[in-house]
Amino acid sequence: MEFKYIVVGSGNGACGFLSRYLDSQAQGKVLVLEEGEDFFYSSDIAHQLNWLKSFAEGKIFKLHNTQTPNSIPIISGRACTMGGGGSINYTMIHESSEWLSTHVGQPVGYWQDLKQKLNYRFDRDDPGEDLSPITQHVLKIAKKAGFQESDDELENIPNHPEQDEKLLHLFPSLFNPFGQRTHSGVSIVNWFDDRIVLKTQCQVQKLDFETTDTGELRCSAVHVKNLVDETSEYVSLKEGCKVILCAGAATPRLLLPYSEEMGQGEIGHHVSDHILLPLGLYIPKEGIDTTPKDNYVPVFATTLWRDDPDSEATVCTFDFFAGEFDRLIFLVSHLFLALLLPNWLKRKVIKYPNLFTFTKNAVRILIQIVAFFINRVRIVWNGLIGKPRQQELELVTAILKFKPRSAGYYVKDSSRITLDFFAPDPNTSFNQDKEVAKTVIKDHIDFLNELGYQPHWFVKCLLRCLTRIPYTKGQVDNYVETYSRKFLLTEQHLAGGCLYGSVLDKGLDNPEDTGKVFGTHNVHVADLSSVPLPRVSPQMTAYLLGFHVAQQLS
């Protein structure tokens, strides 16, 4: 069978690419090769039931071998299923059109128009309607703390503007009232279109190249391993067929062996992910009920940090989670996997999938046992003082995330990815990442403490003994210092490695060259590896990048 495109991966970038391509009049077939399972088999975990369980599903959620230059392990995950990251964490906010214009090319107006077209396909309801009590509460206390609602949105999906304000971005909820995820990125693609040939559980392991008459490298074949029966397949590319890499972290890996032949030494560099810091656990206040819809409260609270008025601002985002403990346990145990394990063990966990599965389940069981006894004591105490015997423990919590100062890189001929978290300036020893974390948490600790009641003093002492998570300004410095040495987490949104302008053609002279790897004839990139790490949650940016490449090629 002859293909017009071979798309490697079926994540956010691929969904954006396929959505736009299928709208064109082109009749060429597209082969999609996905390492994970078919969406229709994984949807019970990732979409219909408790989405948080996806963190516990070894088939869907795996870890990168990610460390700092000083060999401090970082818990950095990736989605391995049809739909990619959108099947696990479906948050919606666009990077600014000015940022996209700077890093990808094209005028600001082009990106505004493209966002409108992409957002229309998601067909999302107005996020301001039918707000849950916990969402209303977060908005209320955030406004009291100086945040204001942003009105920058297109088709009900927010856009991060270029301005220096503390902003609240309401985005369409992931869930229906029962906590079911009824939409995700795969919903914007008609997977039953005759032009799509989808092969799941097929891992692309290698690309073959041949030299053309012009001296460029042409991808002539793709080596695929079938993960079900352990067989290998060799897919030849006919003349005119293009490879569209949408494989996330695997995209730079597939190109690295040929970087010298391509003359692209920048492949595998400028890689980053958001630093993620878990914050306090709270009990919702009386009258503020939580529902399954609140597992991911659909509000981003963004604020800016800058060293001086002329420096580039660091965008810091607070995310909020709420609900019954039994549902949140999967998220909490994932975060506490970083907080409870020593570094020597985490180095092994991130390398061996079976050990990762065992340890995260062990951490979850440990937390459940502790929570069981705490809950029993709470029920007895409430009975003694005449309070209602609430059976289910409910929690509300937040995380802080921001882009680190220094970018990282892929280690060639190794599975390791180096991310330079909390690195001091080599010239001044000033540690910007620590200063950002300390300043922003201190400035907002009173706001965070308004999320709900603090746990009983004994529970809080136990929590702080294990994690150092702060509840007062005086506890913040110790938390950040300890965190930077022992507790590193990312947001699971690895970006960079094949940047536009240095590795990829922006297509400004010829639209059909958009996303093409310099030095190649038929290899394009259409995922987050094509840009530096966006300042805000990057999923919509990933969809947009794939959509953009298909728009230009079409």
Side-chain angles (χ1 to χ4, degrees):
M1 187 179 294
E2 292 192 14
F3 297 102
K4 182 170 184 177
Y5 299 114
I6 294 179
V7 177
V8 181
S10 67
N12 301 346
C15 288
F17 180 90
L18 294 169
S19 174
R20 176 63 187 88
Y21 173 74
L22 294 179
D23 272 357
S24 71
Q25 299 302 312
Q27 295 303 310
K29 287 188 177 292
V30 181
L31 173 62
V32 181
L33 299 170
E34 167 57 43
E35 177 185 351
E37 289 190 354
D38 191 309
F39 159 78
F40 302 104
Y41 293 102
S42 63
S43 61
D44 279 351
I45 291 292
H47 298 82
Q48 298 303 322
L49 301 179
N50 182 358
W51 73 280
L52 295 166
K53 287 184 179 179
S54 57
F55 289 107
E57 232 350 80
K59 296 180 295 183
I60 294 177
F61 187 81
K62 299 181 180 180
L63 292 185
H64 298 298
N65 178 12
T66 312
Q67 301 182 37
T68 70
N70 296 327
S71 298
I72 299 175
I74 304 174
I75 301 296
S76 176
R78 65 185 179 95
C80 184
T81 185
M82 183 180 169
S87 297
I88 289 182
N89 179 17
Y90 184 42
T91 54
M92 308 186 80
I93 184 170
H94 279 290
E95 247 299 358
S96 73
S97 296
E98 291 82 358
W99 186 94
L100 289 160
S101 180
T102 298
H103 293 288
V104 189
Q106 306 296 335
V108 169
Y110 168 86
W111 293 108
Q112 289 292 101
D113 180 62
L114 204 65
K115 288 177 182 177
Q116 184 92 31
K117 292 176 180 176
L118 173 64
N119 293 0
Y120 178 78
R121 294 159 197 266
F122 283 97
D123 188 26
R124 307 304 283 146
D125 295 333
D126 183 352
E129 295 181 356
D130 193 27
L131 296 178
S132 70
I134 200 73
T135 302
Q136 295 179 50
H137 176 64
V138 170
L139 293 174
K140 179 181 177 181
I141 63 173
K143 291 175 183 177
K144 182 180 175 182
F147 290 86
Q148 60 178 308
E149 284 191 52
S150 172
D151 59 0
D152 192 340
E153 56 84 22
L154 292 168
E155 300 290 339
N156 296 326
I157 297 175
N159 187 66
H160 185 266
E162 296 288 334
Q163 61 187 51
D164 297 348
E165 295 183 18
K166 297 169 72 170
L167 295 174
L168 296 168
H169 312 270
L170 268 172
F171 61 90
S173 175
L174 298 74
F175 311 110
N176 65 14
F178 305 101
Q180 295 174 319
R181 303 178 72 242
T182 53
H183 289 79
S184 76
V186 293
S187 63
I188 67 173
V189 179
N190 177 13
W191 296 95
F192 301 102
D193 190 295
D194 290 340
R195 288 171 288 176
I196 291 184
V197 177
L198 172 65
K199 291 188 176 184
T200 56
Q201 295 181 279
C202 289
Q203 183 184 59
V204 175
Q205 296 189 309
K206 181 184 175 184
L207 305 177
D208 279 351
F209 286 94
E210 60 185 18
T211 305
T212 65
D213 294 339
T214 61
E216 294 179 315
L217 296 181
R218 174 185 174 273
C219 183
S220 58
V222 176
H223 293 257
V224 182
K225 180 180 180 180
N226 187 308
L227 300 179
V228 177
D229 57 19
E230 299 293 319
T231 59
S232 296
E233 184 179 356
Y234 181 88
V235 182
S236 297
L237 276 69
K238 304 292 185 180
E239 188 63 41
C241 177
K242 298 180 185 293
V243 175
I244 311 296
L245 295 177
C246 302
T251 292
R253 278 273 177 246
L254 289 169
L255 296 175
L256 262 176
Y258 314 100
S259 57
E260 293 183 8
E261 294 177 66
M262 295 173 181
Q264 300 302 316
E266 291 296 295
I267 292 175
H269 291 271
H270 313 291
V271 179
S272 197
D273 201 340
H274 292 107
I275 295 175
L276 189 154
L277 292 96
L279 299 170
L281 298 176
Y282 301 90
I283 311 299
K285 295 182 177 180
E286 288 95 345
I288 304 178
D289 298 324
T290 67
T291 70
K293 190 177 180 179
D294 299 315
N295 286 173
Y296 202 132
V297 180
V299 178
F300 293 126
T302 58
T303 186
L304 302 181
W305 178 96
R306 51 165 44 99
D307 193 20
D308 61 70
D310 297 324
S311 65
E312 181 181 358
T314 298
V315 178
C316 302
T317 303
F318 291 99
D319 290 8
F320 308 93
F321 307 86
E324 294 179 357
F325 181 79
D326 284 348
R327 292 178 68 90
L328 291 182
I329 181 64
F330 297 99
L331 174 65
V332 172
S333 61
H334 170 69
L335 299 181
F336 278 44
L337 183 69
L339 299 172
L340 297 178
L341 301 182
N343 281 339
W344 66 266
L345 179 55
K346 277 186 286 188
R347 289 190 194 99
K348 297 183 183 299
V349 166
I350 62 180
K351 289 184 179 180
Y352 303 107
N354 291 337
L355 186 57
F356 170 51
T357 301
F358 174 80
T359 52
K360 67 183 175 182
N361 289 335
V363 167
R364 185 167 68 253
I365 292 169
L366 173 63
I367 294 174
Q368 284 176 314
I369 291 172
V370 173
F372 173 81
F373 286 106
I374 291 174
N375 208 27
R376 298 285 78 75
V377 171
R378 182 179 61 87
I379 291 172
V380 171
W381 177 253
N382 285 345
L384 291 174
I385 64 176
K387 284 188 176 182
R389 295 184 60 188
Q390 181 184 359
Q391 296 299 311
E392 297 294 339
L393 177 63
E394 294 184 340
L395 296 175
V396 57
T397 187
I399 59 173
L400 170 67
K401 61 190 182 190
F402 60 90
K403 180 179 178 179
R405 182 190 71 88
S406 300
Y409 54 91
Y410 285 71
V411 179
K412 199 169 184 179
D413 301 324
S414 168
S415 65
R416 180 170 168 176
I417 301 171
T418 296
L419 295 179
D420 210 359
F421 285 7
F422 294 103
D425 187 309
N427 298 318
T428 65
S429 297
F430 173 66
N431 197 308
Q432 178 174 304
D433 294 346
K434 288 184 181 179
E435 190 63 27
V436 171
K438 292 176 181 179
T439 302
V440 173
I441 296 175
K442 287 179 182 177
D443 288 348
H444 296 87
I445 196 73
D446 293 336
F447 158 54
L448 295 170
N449 285 335
E450 287 292 315
L451 286 172
Y453 297 119
Q454 295 184 23
H456 185 274
W457 67 267
F458 175 77
V459 176
K460 189 164 62 173
C461 287
L462 178 63
L463 179 67
R464 294 209 63 252
C465 178
L466 296 173
T467 69
R468 306 293 192 275
I469 286 176
Y471 284 89
T472 67
K473 291 183 180 180
Q475 297 167 345
V476 173
D477 286 356
N478 183 37
Y479 173 55
V480 174
E481 291 292 339
T482 305
Y483 185 93
S484 66
R485 299 192 310 270
K486 299 181 179 180
F487 302 152
L488 298 185
L489 274 165
T490 74
E491 195 191 15
Q492 285 82 237
H493 285 150
L494 201 67
C498 302
L499 300 191
Y500 272 103
S502 59
V503 174
L504 306 179
D505 196 318
K506 292 184 177 181
L508 301 180
D509 296 326
N510 181 4
E512 291 188 9
D513 289 338
T514 302
K516 188 171 77 170
V517 180
F518 289 127
T520 72
H521 177 71
N522 62 338
V523 179
H524 297 247
V525 175
D527 62 16
L528 273 178
S529 64
S530 66
V531 292
L533 180 67
R535 299 166 297 179
V536 291
S537 186
Q539 282 184 287
M540 289 307 299
T541 302
Y543 288 118
L544 192 68
L545 289 168
F547 200 79
H548 162 63
V549 172
Q551 169 89 1
Q552 295 300 303
L553 296 186
S554 299

